[in-house]
C-alpha cells in the first residue's frame, strides 16, 4: 500500500509574519489527516528554521525546494542536502520545472542533485513534466521518460523505490489550467509502466511501491477528482498551499479519496 502524500511548495513566497499566520491557521486542519496521509511543506531556505519550529510535533514534515549536488565547498549560493537534513528536512524537491526552465538545470544536473539528496538520507521528490509545445507535438511520454532515465542512470532504479515522482505538466503550473483526469491518469500509468519495464527482476515491485503524485493548479475544487485516480498518490501544491482553507480542504480531499474520511482519522 502506498501512503498518499500532500506537499505544499511555497516557492519564493512568505515572510516571517505571513508564515506564522499561515501555519497557525492551517496546522489544526492538517493535523486531522496526518494518520491517513503524509503531509509536508517546503518553505524557502531562510524560513526552514522558523517553519520547523512552527511544525513542532504535529507530525507534518518539513521539505526544501532544491539542494546542491555538492556536499560542501566553494559553491556560492548553493545549499547542500546535508545542511537541509540538519535543519530537519525530510523531503527535497528536485528538478522542479521552474528550476529546469528558469535556472537551466539540465536532466543531468537534476540527477546529480537527486543523488546528493539520497546520500543525505532524505527523500527526493523528482518533478517531471512536459511543456505545452511538447504535449502538442505528442512528445509527452518521450520527455518524461528522458527525465526519469537520467535519474535511473545516475542512481539506479532500486535507489528510487523510496523516492517520490511528481508529474507536473509545465503548462498547468501556476496557470489555473489543470490537466484533465484522463490526461493525468494516462501519464501516471505510463510512468509506472516505464519504471516497471526499466530493469529486470525487482522493477515491478518498485513501480508499485513508488509514489507518483500530481501537481499543476490543484485546488479545492478539483483535488478530489484527481486524487481519486488509481495511480495518483497525492499532490504537489503550489499557489493553493499558501491559503489555509484551500490547502486544508485539499488535504481533506486526499484523505477522503484514499478511503478514509476525516471522522475516521485521529482528531486532536
Ligand atoms: P501550482 O504549482 O499548484 O501553483 O500550479 C505547483 C508546483 O509548481 O509545484
Amino acid at each position: 500500500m502506498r501512503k498518499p502524500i500532500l506537499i505544499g511548495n511555497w516557492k519564493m513566497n512568505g515572510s516571517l509574519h505571513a508564515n506564522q499566520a499561515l501555519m497557525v491557521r492551517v496546522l489544526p486542519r492538517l493535523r486531522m489527516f496526518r494518520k491517513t496521509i503524509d503531509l509536508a511543506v517546503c518553505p524557502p531556505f531562510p524560513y526552514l528554521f522558523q517553519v520547523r519550529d512552527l511544525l513542532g510535533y504535529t507530525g507534518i514534515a518539513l521539505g526544501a525546494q532544491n539542494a546542491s549536488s555538492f556536499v560542501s565547498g566553494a559553491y556560492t549560493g548553493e545549499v547542500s542536502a546535508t545542511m537541509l537534513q540538519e535543519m530537519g528536512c525530510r523531503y527535497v524537491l528536485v528538478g522542479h520545472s521552474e528550476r529546469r526552465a528558469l535556472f537551466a538545470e539540465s536532466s543531468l544536473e537534476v540527477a546529480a542533485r537527486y543523488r546528493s539528496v539520497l546520500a543525505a538520507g532524505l527523500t527526493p521528490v523528482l518533478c517531471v513534466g512536459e511543456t505545452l509545445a511538447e504535449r502538442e507535438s505528442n512528445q509527452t511520454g518521450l520527455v518524461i521518460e528522458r527525465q526519469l532515465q537520467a535519474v535511473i542512470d545516475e542512481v539506479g532504479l532500486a535507489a528510487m523505490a523510496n523516492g517520490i515522482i511528481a508529474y507536473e505538466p509545465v503548462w498547468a503550473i501556476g496557470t489555473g489550467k489543470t490537466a484533465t483526469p484522463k490526461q493525468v491518469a494516462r501519464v501516471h500509468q505510463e510512468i509506472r509502466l516505464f519504471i516497471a519495464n526499466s530493469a529486470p527482476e525487482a522493477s515491478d515491485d518498485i513501480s508499485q511501491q513508488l509514489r507518483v503524485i500530481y501537481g499543476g493548479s490543484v485546488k479545492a475544487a478539483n483535488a478530489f477528482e484527481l486524487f481519486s485516480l488509481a495511480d495518483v498518490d497525492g499532490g504537489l501544491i503550489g499557489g493553493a498551499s499558501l491559503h489555509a482553507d484551500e490547502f486544508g480542504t485539499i488535504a481533506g480531499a486526499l484523505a477522503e479519496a484514499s478511503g478514509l474520511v476525516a471522522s475516521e482519522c485521529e482528531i486532536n
Side-chain angles (χ1 to χ4, degrees), residues 31-99:
R31 287 182 66 184
M32 297 197 302
F33 306 113
R34 70 186 172 173
K35 287 273 161 69
T36 323
I37 61 177
D38 285 338
L39 286 150
V41 290
C42 304
F45 294 135
Y47 301 127
L48 286 172
F49 204 79
Q50 178 204 19
V51 175
R52 182 183 73 174
D53 281 354
L54 290 168
L55 290 174
Y57 295 100
T58 57
I60 295 153
L62 188 64
Q65 298 173 19
N66 202 357
S68 174
S69 55
F70 301 104
V71 175
S72 65
Y75 304 105
T76 303
E78 289 289 280
V79 172
S80 78
T82 44
M83 293 171 185
L84 298 174
Q85 189 270 336
E86 194 180 17
M87 292 305 300
C89 288
R90 186 180 309 163
Y91 301 98
V92 183
L93 307 185
V94 182
H96 189 281
S97 66
E98 285 151 17
R99 301 300 316 173

Side-chain angles (χ1 to χ4, degrees), residues 23-220:
M23 289 287 96
V24 164
R25 290 199 57 208
V26 82
L27 287 179
R29 305 201 54 173
L30 297 184
R31 287 182 66 184
M32 297 197 302
F33 306 113
R34 70 186 172 173
K35 287 273 161 69
T36 323
I37 61 177
D38 285 338
L39 286 150
V41 290
C42 304
F45 294 135
Y47 301 127
L48 286 172
F49 204 79
Q50 178 204 19
V51 175
R52 182 183 73 174
D53 281 354
L54 290 168
L55 290 174
Y57 295 100
T58 57
I60 295 153
L62 188 64
Q65 298 173 19
N66 202 357
S68 174
S69 55
F70 301 104
V71 175
S72 65
Y75 304 105
T76 303
E78 289 289 280
V79 172
S80 78
T82 44
M83 293 171 185
L84 298 174
Q85 189 270 336
E86 194 180 17
M87 292 305 300
C89 288
R90 186 180 309 163
Y91 301 98
V92 183
L93 307 185
V94 182
H96 189 281
S97 66
E98 285 151 17
R99 301 300 316 173
R100 294 179 192 261
L102 304 175
F103 301 97
E105 284 185 18
S106 66
S107 284
L108 279 182
E109 173 66 26
V110 169
R113 288 173 187 254
Y114 190 103
R115 173 189 279 283
S116 77
V117 172
L118 276 184
L122 303 178
T123 302
V125 181
L126 174 65
C127 304
V128 297
E130 81 288 3
T131 63
L132 189 57
E134 288 162 346
R135 172 162 284 272
E136 286 174 344
S137 56
N138 291 324
Q139 306 245 302
T140 302
L142 195 68
V143 167
I144 293 172
E145 285 178 19
R146 281 203 195 119
Q147 291 169 337
L148 293 172
Q149 192 63 51
V151 176
I152 295 172
D153 290 346
E154 174 77 18
V155 301
L157 195 62
M160 292 176 72
N162 296 315
I164 295 169
I165 293 173
Y167 169 52
E168 297 207 303
V170 179
W171 48 273
I173 294 177
T175 58
K177 285 187 200 149
T178 321
T180 63
K182 200 170 157 196
Q183 288 170 323
V184 175
R186 176 152 182 202
V187 174
H188 280 237
Q189 259 166 26
E190 283 173 0
I191 290 174
R192 233 179 265 291
L193 200 63
F194 179 74
I195 299 288
N197 291 336
S198 275
E201 307 107 46
S203 55
D204 220 24
D205 291 350
I206 293 169
S207 79
Q208 287 310 311
Q209 192 182 328
L210 195 64
R211 290 187 284 188
V212 185
I213 64 177
Y214 172 77
S217 297
V218 177
K219 37 189 183 278

